[in-house]
Amino acid sequence: MNDSIPVIRDVDQGTARLLPDVDRERAWLLTVDGAPQSYVDLDAPDHLEFEYARRLAHVIDCAASPGAPLDVLHLGGGALTLPRYVAAVRPGSRQDVVEADLGLLELVAEQLPVPDGSGITVHGADARSRLEQTAPGSLDILIADVFSGSRVPAHLTTVEYAKAARRSLRDEGIYAANLADGAPFGFLRSQLATFAAVFEELALIAEPAVLRGRRFGNLVLVASPSPIDTATLTRRCAADAFPARVEHGAALDRLTGAAGPVRDGAAVASPEPPDGAFSIG
């Protein structure tokens, strides 16, 4: 049992809370202003509690043969859930994490430090600025999980941003982003159109109820210059404890509809979630 005391601190983007999980000895939930941000089990970094994190991990798992190290850039840090996962299942990976909230970085470094030799390097910076400084063709995986409050910032939703992501990836590299939207999916459709204007291949992972418009929720957008192994990804997502669908090809074209790409100057942040969509007590 985890009998640790909660840690509460004001950070740059609100009030952060590290809440111990009473069922796991060294596991913690990070929230900011009541919205869940990360879940970390220090004894089992390959344990992923959040559904969207599991789906991002499925993308990572399909990116290369099991255990093979990867070069990864994570935009958005939180409590470093996915970087810890990659370090555990793919030792020797080189990972950079970019997080703009310096107060949050300090809190996580103090309370949930990563082990020495993890291969994880954390940078306090704006996600797009750091991405644009990344060497071309240097990444196997680019993970975007950036939220300001509960919204994806506008400057991370555009063709110009997508082009910077494409430049950073190797020819078989993969971009995966955690998004949030609900019916009628105006934001999601615009993102599909935006990334289709830059990347040759797209896929989308989401819970069926979200795709049917029954509730607001997380969706994982996957993009690559090369074919995505959607068959393997579909099997992994369907077999998960929290099953999800993988859409691609004609199904994504229908979902995109008449939406057009978004460019700098016309971009807006993702929609504000309905009350209670993600918040906890």
Side-chain angles (χ1 to χ4, degrees), residues 59 62-63 139-142 162 165-167 169-177 195-204 221-230 233 252:
V59 175
C62 292
L139 301 176
D140 297 306
I141 299 282
L142 172 56
R166 171 64 185 90
R167 282 194 301 270
L169 290 169
R170 299 187 172 115
D171 288 342
E172 295 185 352
I174 296 175
Y175 172 88
F195 279 81
V198 175
F199 285 88
E200 290 77 4
E201 300 287 336
L202 295 183
L204 184 71
L221 171 65
V222 185
S224 179
S226 299
I228 298 167
D229 185 359
T230 53
L233 189 58
L252 278 193

Side-chain angles (χ1 to χ4, degrees), residues 31-91:
T31 71
V32 177
D33 287 345
Q37 299 290 325
S38 302
Y39 179 98
V40 170
D41 187 331
L42 297 177
D43 290 331
D46 59 343
H47 173 75
L48 301 176
E49 190 79 7
F50 291 173
E51 297 174 23
Y52 82 83
R54 296 169 71 92
R55 289 162 193 161
L56 288 169
H58 292 322
V59 175
I60 295 168
D61 291 342
C62 292
S65 58
L70 297 170
D71 293 327
V72 187
L73 175 62
H74 301 263
L75 303 180
L80 312 183
T81 301
L82 282 172
R84 297 174 201 264
Y85 173 83
V86 173
V89 302
R90 296 181 177 273

Side-chain angles (χ1 to χ4, degrees), residues 33 50 99 121-123 149 155 159 163 182 226 233 242 250 252 257:
D33 287 345
F50 291 173
E99 172 58 60
T121 305
V122 180
H123 310 269
H155 70 307
V159 168
K163 287 181 176 179
S226 299
L233 189 58
F242 305 100
L252 278 193

Side-chain angles (χ1 to χ4, degrees), residues 8-17 33 101 103-104 106-107:
I8 302 173
R9 185 177 302 178
D10 289 334
V11 295
D12 299 357
Q13 294 189 13
T15 299
R17 288 176 169 83
D33 287 345
D101 191 323
L104 183 60
E106 182 180 355
L107 173 64

Side-chain angles (χ1 to χ4, degrees), residues 77-164:
L80 312 183
T81 301
L82 282 172
R84 297 174 201 264
Y85 173 83
V86 173
V89 302
R90 296 181 177 273
S93 294
R94 293 180 296 182
Q95 301 187 83
D96 288 285
V97 182
V98 183
E99 172 58 60
D101 191 323
L102 302 184
L104 183 60
L105 285 182
E106 182 180 355
L107 173 64
V108 171
E110 288 177 5
Q111 301 294 325
L112 307 174
V114 296
D116 292 339
S118 66
I120 299 170
T121 305
V122 180
H123 310 269
D126 174 75
R128 179 159 164 183
S129 295
R130 183 75 191 191
L131 173 62
E132 290 172 343
Q133 297 168 19
T134 300
S138 61
L139 301 176
D140 297 306
I141 299 282
L142 172 56
I143 301 291
D145 186 14
V146 184
F147 284 80
S148 178
S150 297
R151 306 177 72 185
V152 179
H155 70 307
L156 304 182
T157 68
T158 69
V159 168
E160 291 85 353
Y161 163 75
K163 287 181 176 179

